[in-house]
Amino acid sequence: MKMLKMAGLALAVALAGCGGDSDNDNDVAPPAATSKKNVLFFLGDGMGITTLTAMRIYQAGEAGSITIDRLPESAFVRTYSEDGQVTDSAPSMAAYMTGVKMKNEVISMSTGTNAYAPDGSQYVDADGNTTCEQGNGTPVATLLEKMKARGYATGVVTTTRVTHATPATTYAHLCNRNGENTIAAQMVPGGEGYNEALGDGIDVVLGGGRRHFLPNDDGGRRTDGRDLIAEMQDAGYQYASSTSELMDVADEDRVLGIFTSSDMSYELDRVAQQEPSLEEMTGKAIDMLHARDSGFFLMVEGGRIDHALHASNAKRALTDGIAFDNAIAAALEKMEDIDPGLENTLIVVTADHDHTLVINGYAERTGATSEDHAGVLGLVKNYANGPNKGEPRTDVDGNPYTILGFGNGPNRPDSRVALNETTTAGNDYLQEATIQLSSETHGGGDVYLGATGMGADAFHGVIDNTEVFEKITAILDLE
Amino acid sequence: MSNVIHRLAALGVALMLAMPVTAAWAQPAEALRVEYQQWQIGRDGVRQQMDYAETLYREENALWVEREIPEAAERQHDQHAHGGLGHKHADVIGAPLWIRRDDQGGLDVKLVDRHEKRLIDIAPPYYGNVGFDGHWAESWALADPRALAAMQPASIDEQGRETYQLDRGDQRITLVWDPKGRYAVSITAQGKQGLSGRTLRATPLAAPASMPWQGLADYRDRDYSDLLD
Ligand SMILES: [Zn+2]
């Protein structure tokens, strides 16, 4: 393993040094031949079990199934971090990607790494540059890095900024997730701050977050004057900034696709010409990675399910959740074509943490949501036979209440009012919360993991998030 | 964060009509103090009441809404440790909203974080999270002047203020409009059974020496989603 990684590094140096046609070629060990295995890791950010259930009811009704429901293997995953009963995305995704427990807000660093200084400040400046100090932890190898070192193609796809915590854990190492300028630089082959463990670089990077690639006098947030998009192009990447530009990239090329300054839009707000769907990005990433014919690792994040839940806006969370499910469905279909029976392909779908969403009251079955039917976005209604069947149930003051609610969040009215389903099924409705906070928090419940394909039956029972990494590396025989 | 829903729930007069982008009346009031009150009697006989006040600064295409926060409450906030990006959410509780309108009627909404010197851009999906309902005219004038046409004119006082009434569902709504200053002087919504009520009362303030959005030059631009982890 160590040997191979060194070899990968040497190759990267050779490529960066002289544009490829090097007479050192013979001195460089080629990446180990892989048996063309594929790993697709789907991460629904914040997609707790209640959110999954609500997604199913929203899309297919109580008795229906979405794609995630059809995955044959499953486990429940503990998500606590080194210091948190409730985790954030950084250590939870990093646990999947590295097998190491770390503290909240730490990106793929050793146990014990601190995101906060003793005075309570974070190790980051106000522009998003890291202020992590030497000796505050060491990088721990990620699944993407390990597979890259073995010669696999690699890709990262998200609806958040590509420098956001979840995607960052696959390719970057930092004591505090908010140093997104620093994280971006870790992706750029040959540039200052590059993560050499990525060899000659990630093949496919798709998402939002242009602002961390551009200097601040060019609409970005970089204070070092660097234009990382230009640097990526110099390093051999095609740059795509719209849906059609992405689709026009040749499958054999490498691509940096960044479609928005910050996060990409919620599915409900997305303009299709400007921003590809998660399904489109996933499909293109598979085509490109498969074209390399070397097996691949692809991480796909439905990253904004989490953001909509923080806003306590269930509708945007569920529609982003279904967009994520659609991406999984498209990937399954594509991979069955490429690798019938998924003999050499492992697909894992899980979440990094829970949220405080609840399904409240003794609601009558609603079936799926449609244009003129609120479904699970509606009010709790009486299921029992009698004159009140189908009528809204009420609180102690006689006011109806919604099926979906939150343990905490921004909408906690001092006095509840009569609601109707036109309101509660509206795009911008914020479900009510028990504890008022300016934005809703993550929750501490276990999350669901579904898997299919090569070695998927290794996933069962209640497992720790670090075990997910161990199982995948064992299935791939990486250690 | 009482901003959130209080701002949304404050007005019972939700007769949303397409808002006119042009308006060329007399000099409107540049600053208003607006007091809100809301009460309700529950089935258990307990009466709950909520009050707060905001200051509005207004130009033709700009609006600043700032909650009055007692100094002691403000101090409590300051004791929180801040550092770096301060991406933790609680820092923007009670922060002023700065809303601008362009010639096409498009809105630019910013939350002003004085503690971290940040101007937080609020994209439309997050309007509700900062207590803005997306309606410019209602926010700027406290009632959409075009909604008055749907109400019953009742009287005009000697200062030219017009009183309107409307019965809607269980509620009687009374609105006093100042056409010169271009704002709702008061709005009262009373449940006919006497179990709930809401009032809003606006008083003009002397025009400020400078508008609060002057002096934000060294603020950093941030996005609302930066506050979410
Ligand atoms: Zn989150």
Side-chain angles (χ1 to χ4, degrees):
Chain A
M1 164 64 211
K2 275 212 174 73
M3 282 278 295
L4 290 166
K5 200 160 170 185
M6 300 273 293
L9 272 182
L11 180 63
V13 171
L15 288 176
C18 47
D21 189 20
S22 161
D23 48 13
N24 286 339
D25 279 358
N26 292 340
D27 302 341
V28 176
T34 66
S35 51
K36 297 181 190 172
K37 291 174 179 168
N38 309 300
V39 175
L40 293 87
F41 193 94
F42 284 89
L43 192 286
D45 199 315
M47 191 184 65
I49 290 172
T50 313
T51 301
L52 268 179
T53 307
M55 280 162 53
R56 175 198 303 144
I57 299 172
Y58 175 87
Q59 183 69 10
E62 288 83 353
S65 293
I66 57 176
T67 305
I68 297 172
D69 292 325
R70 299 192 185 99
L71 297 170
E73 307 296 341
S74 60
F76 294 94
V77 185
R78 308 170 205 248
T79 65
Y80 70 95
S81 70
E82 183 190 341
D83 59 354
Q85 183 178 72
V86 175
T87 186
D88 74 294
S89 297
S92 53
M93 183 60 170
Y96 292 146
M97 291 297 111
T98 68
V100 174
K101 281 273 182 205
M102 56 203 81
K103 291 180 181 169
N104 278 7
E105 311 195 37
V106 174
I107 303 285
S108 295
M109 297 287 285
S110 53
T111 301
T113 303
N114 288 307
Y116 286 74
D119 68 0
S121 67
Q122 299 188 51
Y123 286 119
V124 62
D125 73 14
D127 293 304
N129 300 308
T130 189
T131 58
C132 294
E133 292 158 353
Q134 275 295 328
N136 180 16
T138 51
V140 286
T142 71
L143 190 56
L144 185 149
E145 291 167 353
K146 283 171 180 279
M147 291 182 70
K148 179 77 200 177
R150 293 279 181 118
Y152 288 91
T154 57
V156 174
V157 172
T158 180
T159 50
T160 65
R161 300 185 293 272
V162 297
T163 50
H164 204 249
T166 300
T169 63
T170 66
Y171 67 85
H173 305 275
L174 205 64
C175 80
N176 186 300
R177 58 180 283 173
N178 292 310
E180 291 187 52
N181 286 344
T182 309
I183 289 169
Q186 294 195 20
M187 179 198 294
V188 186
E192 192 187 333
Y194 179 53
N195 173 18
E196 301 286 350
L198 297 174
D200 63 352
I202 312 167
D203 298 298
V204 175
V205 179
L206 303 175
R210 204 177 292 133
R211 68 187 203 194
H212 295 290
F213 289 75
L214 294 177
N216 49 16
D217 55 9
D218 202 10
R221 289 207 184 161
R222 297 201 69 81
T223 51
D224 57 7
R226 288 172 68 184
D227 178 345
L228 299 189
I229 291 173
E231 290 186 29
M232 288 288 274
Q233 287 172 308
D234 289 345
Y237 284 80
Q238 301 297 314
Y239 172 59
S241 65
S242 68
T243 307
S244 61
E245 283 177 19
L246 174 64
M247 295 311 162
D248 287 347
V249 173
D251 286 345
E252 295 71 27
D253 275 331
R254 312 168 91 190
V255 67
L256 173 68
I258 307 194
F259 307 99
T260 48
S261 170
S262 183
D263 298 310
M264 292 179 70
S265 299
Y266 290 117
E267 182 59 23
L268 211 51
D269 309 308
R270 184 174 65 87
V271 177
Q273 292 82 356
Q274 289 162 14
E275 302 175 45
S277 66
L278 188 57
E279 177 182 340
E280 289 169 324
M281 291 196 289
T282 303
K284 182 66 178 175
I286 292 173
D287 290 343
M288 293 185 71
L289 296 174
H290 175 57
R292 282 156 175 71
D293 201 26
S294 52
F296 65 82
F297 169 79
L298 174 63
M299 191 287 292
V300 176
E301 183 196 26
R304 307 210 65 211
I305 303 165
D306 173 71
H307 287 170
L309 291 170
H310 279 302
S312 75
N313 180 198
K315 186 169 184 177
R316 281 192 173 80
L318 300 186
T319 47
D320 261 48
I322 293 305
F324 176 64
D325 193 72
N326 290 340
I328 298 164
L332 279 168
E333 197 179 317
K334 234 178 223 304
M335 292 314 299
E336 281 286 358
D337 278 349
I338 293 170
D339 175 20
L342 304 181
E343 302 263 314
N344 291 296
T345 301
L346 170 64
I347 297 178
V348 175
V349 179
T350 189
D352 49 355
H353 54 73
D354 193 12
H355 265 271
T356 73
L357 186 75
V358 289
I359 297 177
N360 256 327
Y362 295 111
E364 181 184 45
R365 282 166 67 159
T366 64
T369 298
S370 62
E371 198 65 46
D372 53 3
H373 179 63
V376 73
L377 296 173
L379 301 170
V380 173
K381 293 180 187 158
N382 205 333
Y383 62 81
N385 280 337
N388 291 327
K389 180 170 168 59
E391 290 299 311
R393 288 174 171 269
T394 55
D395 69 7
V396 293
D397 287 320
N399 289 312
Y401 54 97
T402 55
I403 297 171
L404 298 179
F406 287 90
N408 61 57
N411 184 6
R412 186 176 188 279
D414 294 84
S415 49
R416 300 200 63 253
V417 296
L419 294 166
N420 62 58
E421 292 193 331
T422 309
T423 301
T424 67
N427 289 356
D428 300 324
Y429 181 69
L430 307 181
Q431 274 72 14
E432 290 175 62
T434 307
I435 304 291
Q436 189 168 38
L437 297 179
S438 59
S439 75
E440 187 262 359
T441 70
H442 300 173
D446 290 351
V447 296
Y448 180 78
L449 181 149
T452 186
M454 171 187 64
D457 57 3
F459 293 98
H460 49 79
V462 178
I463 59 178
D464 197 281
N465 53 10
T466 55
E467 289 177 66
V468 174
F469 170 84
E470 290 158 16
K471 288 178 189 298
I472 296 173
T473 50
I475 291 165
L476 289 172
D477 204 14
L478 280 183
E479 295 294 356
Chain B
M1 168 137 176
S2 353
N3 293 14
V4 171
I5 294 315
H6 294 172
R7 280 196 189 122
L8 280 182
L11 290 196
V13 189
L15 301 168
M16 316 316 181
L17 296 171
M19 53 184 132
V21 176
T22 52
W25 291 309
Q27 185 68 22
E30 282 179 40
L32 296 167
R33 181 172 191 268
V34 189
E35 296 164 88
Y36 297 87
Q37 188 195 74
Q38 183 177 333
W39 59 271
Q40 177 176 346
I41 299 174
R43 195 176 280 184
D44 56 3
V46 173
R47 179 185 153 108
Q48 292 179 297
Q49 184 170 319
M50 173 198 59
D51 304 272
Y52 63 98
E54 289 177 341
T55 306
L56 269 52
Y57 298 95
R58 312 192 302 170
E59 270 179 5
E60 197 57 49
N61 283 311
L63 172 68
W64 181 283
V65 184
E66 181 153 8
R67 175 77 43 79
E68 281 183 15
I69 299 176
E71 218 183 302
E74 191 73 18
R75 263 203 308 279
Q76 216 169 25
H77 175 104
D78 286 344
Q79 282 161 4
H80 293 298
H82 299 304
L85 284 182
H87 93 278
K88 293 299 182 210
H89 335 119
D91 303 14
V92 293
I93 288 175
L97 265 191
W98 178 28
I99 307 168
R100 283 170 293 174
R101 185 176 63 159
D102 64 25
D103 294 338
Q104 284 74 47
L107 299 181
D108 178 69
V109 181
K110 299 267 195 281
L111 194 67
V112 182
D113 178 4
R114 292 201 175 104
H115 296 271
E116 306 274 352
K117 288 202 163 189
R118 301 182 294 187
L119 281 180
I120 298 163
D121 186 58
I122 309 297
Y126 299 118
Y127 283 174
N129 289 83
V130 297
F132 176 52
D133 65 4
H135 295 109
W136 167 263
E138 282 206 335
S139 301
W140 194 86
L142 302 170
D144 187 337
R146 305 195 71 177
L148 302 177
M151 300 182 76
Q152 186 70 38
S155 61
I156 301 182
D157 70 11
E158 59 275 19
Q159 291 152 294
R161 294 163 163 185
E162 304 157 359
T163 299
Y164 297 84
Q165 285 185 328
L166 175 73
D167 284 341
R168 197 181 55 187
D170 169 49
Q171 288 197 317
R172 158 146 296 197
I173 297 165
T174 307
L175 187 153
V176 180
W177 177 254
D178 181 335
K180 281 207 287 271
R182 286 167 57 201
Y183 64 93
V185 176
S186 70
I187 304 173
T188 307
Q190 190 92 262
K192 286 175 186 159
Q193 296 169 324
L195 293 175
S196 67
R198 293 170 177 179
T199 61
L200 165 166
R201 198 174 313 281
T203 26
L205 301 172
S210 69
M211 284 305 203
W213 49 78
Q214 279 144 11
L216 300 174
D218 59 338
Y219 276 50
R220 291 167 197 278
D221 289 314
R222 289 294 174 257
D223 297 325
Y224 185 78
S225 66
D226 291 352
L227 308 184
L228 311 174
D229 50 26

